[in-house]
């Protein structure tokens, strides 16, 4: 059965549904394909459930610290993992239902539930239905990557998706991968009471960040009793009576860690291998990401790629911004470009890391004259009052233009406070402008002008 539409969207993640709303509002007849869970990764197996779990883990951590605040909790706290799980699941399911109801009720939109596959540059098959459209928008996201590591096929392992089905606390969780997703799970499960080991093949955690950031995060996690094994050059797996033996090192330290559970958090891969892109002629790079130009158009006229599958972002806000770019260019005749986006993101451990723009190392590589300022959270009143003084703030600026190039706030409310700097960068304002702002006391943000006032040339 062949159906023709003005436009078609594949994937109900973070860009597709909002784009559907804009296209149908402009009068187009639009087809929508989703093969699994409405809301995609963020709502079902990413941001929403994990940040809900992070909140439970924070509550547990603060409860254990009650005495420090003069709050007596007479007996050891107990984690009711079934309730923790149910809370996360309920919040994810509510989000999913909301997206599905929105799409199904959208005037001008026909929802097809099933796997979409290209059969030509303007045609896509979903089961029995063959859909044609002159405009096709791909928003198929990604999934956990499972590299072919020695022994991986002989053991049970978890990914960010399957770990969310656990309603018990693992005895010993071995997290393979010391980056953003792995560290969030590592800290939350430690706080739920698991023994946790993070195994990272590189020399330090979250290697994309500056060394001082990596080091401070390692300290934060180690202080909570998380074992960190970096330089794990020989990662391998074999069954063990107590779970899984993970080989971590060929040269020094205990060569093996035995975990009751193993979480693989070693990266993501795009869902583009089963999309029939070759039938449409859509080009991908060596890792399978769809190649796009600055307006997110693919190599085939009339086909765009948005969200994680284009490799230009790996976050909900970047996927959503992709929708904004495409909608503005197509429907408002603007010329928005993805290269105008200032990178910003957070690592939601506690305390969180808020990041914007370049790292100090990246800024140094540009060869520009730089100013740097750093302030420990022990010198931020709000952090002291809250008894949460781990971490620091760091800002890097161009000494000539006085523009901020990047910043990191690793500390309480760092994920929120960073927006003051992000907004300045988006406005294109030089940093002295912010020094004349009168921020609210007592907040973490109020120290940002002070940090800017301390900017000094780098050695
Ligand atoms: C554990 C974890 C935590 C995260 N935390 C955060 C966070 O705190 N903040 C943040 O910004 N980002 C976070 N992310 C990243 C965020 O989830 C993604 O960047 C975001 O979901 C990308 O949206 P998307 O629209 O590109 O794709 P997705 O959300 O992955 O959606 C793609 C959709 O396409 C569907 N699909 C795929 N192929 C087909 C096909 N052939 N036919 C039909 N449908 C198809 C899928 O079923 C899915 O519903 C996290 C990710 C993970 C894994």
């Amino acid at each position: 059965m062949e159906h023709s539409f003005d436009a078609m969207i594949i994937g109900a993640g973070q860009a597709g549904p909002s784009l559907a709303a804009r296209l149908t509002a402009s009068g187009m007849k639009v087809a929508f394909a989703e093969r699994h869970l409405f809301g995609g990764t963020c709502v079902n197996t990413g941001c929403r459930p994990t940040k809900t779990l992070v909140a439970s883990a924070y509550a547990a951590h603060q409860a254990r610290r009650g005495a420090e605040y003069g709050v007596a909790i007479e007996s050891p706290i107990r984690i009711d993992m079934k309730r923790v799980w149910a809370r996360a699941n309920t919040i994810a399911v509510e989000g999913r239902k909301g997206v599905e109801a929105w799409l199904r009720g959208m005037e001008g939109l026909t929802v097809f539930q099933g796997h979409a596959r290209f059969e030509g540059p303007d045609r896509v098959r979903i089961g029995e239905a063959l859909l044609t459209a002159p405009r096709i928008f791909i928003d198929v996201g990604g999934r956990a990557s499972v590299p072919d590591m020695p022994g991986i096929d002989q053991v049970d392992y978890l990914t960010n998706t399957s770990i969310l089905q656990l309603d018990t606390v693992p005895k010993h969780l071995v997290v393979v991968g010391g980056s953003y997703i792995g560290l969030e799970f590592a800290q939350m499960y430690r706080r739920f009471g698991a023994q946790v080991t993070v195994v990272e093949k590189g020399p330090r955690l979250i290697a994309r960040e500056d060394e001082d950031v990596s080091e401070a995060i390692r300290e934060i996690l180690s202080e909570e009793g998380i074992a960190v094994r970096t330089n794990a050059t020989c990662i391998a797996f074999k069954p063990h009576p107590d779970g899984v033996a993970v080989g971590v090192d060929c040269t020094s330290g205990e060569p093996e860690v035995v975990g009751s559970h193993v979480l693989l958090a070693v990266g993501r891969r795009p869902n583009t291998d089963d999309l029939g892109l070759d039938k449409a002629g859509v080009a991908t790079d060596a890792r399978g990401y769809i190649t796009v130009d600055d307006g997110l158009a693919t190599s085939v006229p009339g086909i765009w790629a948005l969200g994680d599958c284009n490799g230009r972002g790996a976050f909900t806000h970047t996927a959503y911004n992709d929708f904004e770019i495409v909608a503005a260019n197509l429907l408002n005749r603007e010329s928005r470009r993805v290269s105008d986006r200032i990178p910003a993101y957070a690592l939601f451990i506690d305390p969180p890391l808020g990041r914007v723009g370049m790292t100090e190392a990246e800024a140094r590589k540009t060869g520009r004259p730089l100013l740097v300022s750093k302030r420990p959270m022990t010198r931020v009143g709000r952090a002291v009052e809250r008894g949460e003084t781990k971490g620091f703030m760091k800002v890097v600026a161009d000494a000539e233009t006085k523009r901020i190039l990047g910043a990191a706030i690793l500390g309480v409310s760092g994920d929120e406070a960073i927006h003051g700097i992000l907004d300045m960068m988006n406005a294109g304002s030089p940093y002295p402008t912010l020094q004349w702002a009168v921020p609210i006391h007592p907040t973490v943000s109020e120290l940002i002008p002070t940090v800017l006032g301390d900017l000094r040339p780098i050695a």
Side-chain angles (χ1 to χ4, degrees):
M1 184 82 174
E2 192 168 318
H3 312 262
S4 63
F5 291 89
D6 299 317
M8 164 152 198
I9 299 167
I10 307 172
Q14 296 304 306
S18 301
L19 185 61
R22 281 297 308 276
L23 295 177
T24 50
S26 76
M28 287 189 207
K29 193 177 139 210
V30 181
F32 203 108
E34 170 53 54
R35 71 175 174 190
H36 190 37
L37 301 177
F38 287 82
T41 307
C42 181
V43 168
N44 296 289
T45 57
C47 337
R48 244 185 182 230
T50 58
K51 268 78 251 182
T52 307
L53 292 171
V54 163
S56 291
Y58 180 71
H61 183 65
Q62 289 301 82
R64 287 190 188 99
R65 296 183 63 207
E68 287 177 47
Y69 297 86
V71 179
I73 298 175
E74 304 294 349
S75 50
I77 66 149
R78 186 178 67 80
I79 305 295
D80 181 346
M81 202 58 202
K82 289 199 170 25
R83 286 188 68 176
V84 167
W85 176 85
R87 179 172 178 272
N89 191 50
T90 302
I91 288 175
V93 169
E94 275 168 9
R96 180 195 314 159
K97 282 187 183 160
V99 176
E100 183 164 1
W102 181 34
L103 288 174
R104 291 202 188 275
M106 202 176 279
E107 207 175 317
L109 191 77
T110 308
V111 175
F112 293 82
Q113 187 132 28
H115 183 95
R117 202 182 295 269
F118 280 90
E119 292 204 347
D122 64 348
R123 56 198 57 232
V124 168
R125 177 169 295 282
I126 306 164
E128 297 290 299
L130 182 63
L131 315 184
T132 61
R135 303 169 196 84
I136 301 180
F137 304 91
I138 308 171
D139 175 30
V140 291
R143 61 185 185 273
S145 157
V146 181
D148 190 17
M149 291 182 280
I152 191 70
D153 51 341
Q154 290 162 40
V155 297
D156 290 332
Y157 59 83
L158 300 162
T159 64
N160 70 283
T161 304
S162 50
I163 197 171
L164 294 173
Q165 303 308 319
L166 278 189
D167 61 0
T168 52
V169 178
K171 190 162 179 286
H172 183 179
L173 178 67
V174 178
V175 178
V176 180
S179 203
Y180 306 88
I181 290 176
L183 296 187
E184 289 180 13
F185 278 112
Q187 190 187 46
M188 80 173 73
Y189 273 97
R190 179 67 193 140
R191 289 177 171 194
F192 292 149
Q195 185 185 342
V196 175
T197 303
V198 175
V199 176
E200 164 56 47
K201 77 172 187 305
R204 60 190 174 92
L205 299 177
I206 45 171
R208 199 191 293 171
E209 304 301 335
D210 282 330
E211 283 186 33
D212 51 359
V213 172
S214 289
E215 194 42 47
I217 287 173
R218 185 178 185 138
E219 259 176 54
I220 288 165
L221 298 179
S222 300
E223 277 171 19
E224 291 192 26
I226 295 170
V228 177
R229 296 291 300 267
T230 42
N231 292 310
T233 43
C234 282
I235 300 176
F237 305 87
K238 58 178 193 244
H240 186 279
D242 294 330
V244 179
V246 184
V248 296
D249 207 329
C250 319
T251 51
S252 63
E254 281 298 316
E256 249 179 27
V257 178
V258 176
S260 59
H261 295 71
V262 170
L263 169 68
L264 285 190
V266 289
R268 311 266 306 156
R269 55 177 293 195
N271 290 327
T272 53
D273 48 335
D274 52 5
L275 202 50
L277 290 176
D278 51 327
K279 297 267 173 44
V282 173
T284 57
D285 69 13
R287 296 192 302 150
Y289 288 99
I290 298 174
T291 313
V292 288
D293 68 11
D294 227 5
L296 303 169
T298 69
S299 55
V300 176
I303 304 182
W304 289 259
L306 301 83
D308 284 12
C309 69
N310 66 26
R312 302 293 291 267
F315 303 100
T316 284
H317 46 280
T318 50
Y320 187 79
N321 182 236
D322 284 359
F323 140 67
E324 293 176 315
I325 291 169
V326 168
N329 295 351
L330 224 62
L331 302 171
N332 301 352
R333 296 177 182 276
E334 292 185 40
S335 46
R336 303 256 166 210
R337 297 178 308 178
V338 71
S339 57
D340 289 337
R341 182 158 74 206
I342 296 170
Y345 52 88
L347 164 67
F348 293 96
I349 57 163
D350 168 41
L353 168 69
R355 276 274 300 113
V356 60
M358 293 183 202
T359 61
E360 182 182 342
E362 285 166 348
R364 281 177 186 261
K365 277 194 205 135
T366 65
R368 302 182 211 195
L370 296 183
L371 303 172
V372 176
S373 173
K374 195 168 162 181
R375 185 180 192 90
M377 295 304 283
T378 47
R379 291 180 57 212
V380 174
R382 187 67 196 274
V384 174
E385 290 146 14
R386 289 183 53 152
E388 298 179 62
T389 53
K390 289 175 183 166
F392 59 82
M393 300 175 162
K394 181 165 77 168
V395 178
V396 185
D398 186 312
E400 277 167 7
T401 64
K402 304 268 187 282
R403 297 283 197 280
I404 297 173
L405 298 175
I409 305 182
L410 172 65
V412 59
S413 303
D415 50 343
E416 295 288 348
I418 198 74
H419 286 90
I421 295 177
L422 175 60
D423 292 345
M424 280 289 296
M425 292 174 74
N426 269 313
S429 304
Y431 73 80
T433 313
L434 196 56
Q435 284 178 276
W436 282 103
V438 183
I440 296 166
H441 173 77
T443 58
V444 173
S445 299
E446 78 175 317
L447 264 299
I448 292 174
T450 313
V451 174
L452 296 176
D454 287 343
L455 280 164
R456 297 285 177 271
I458 55 165

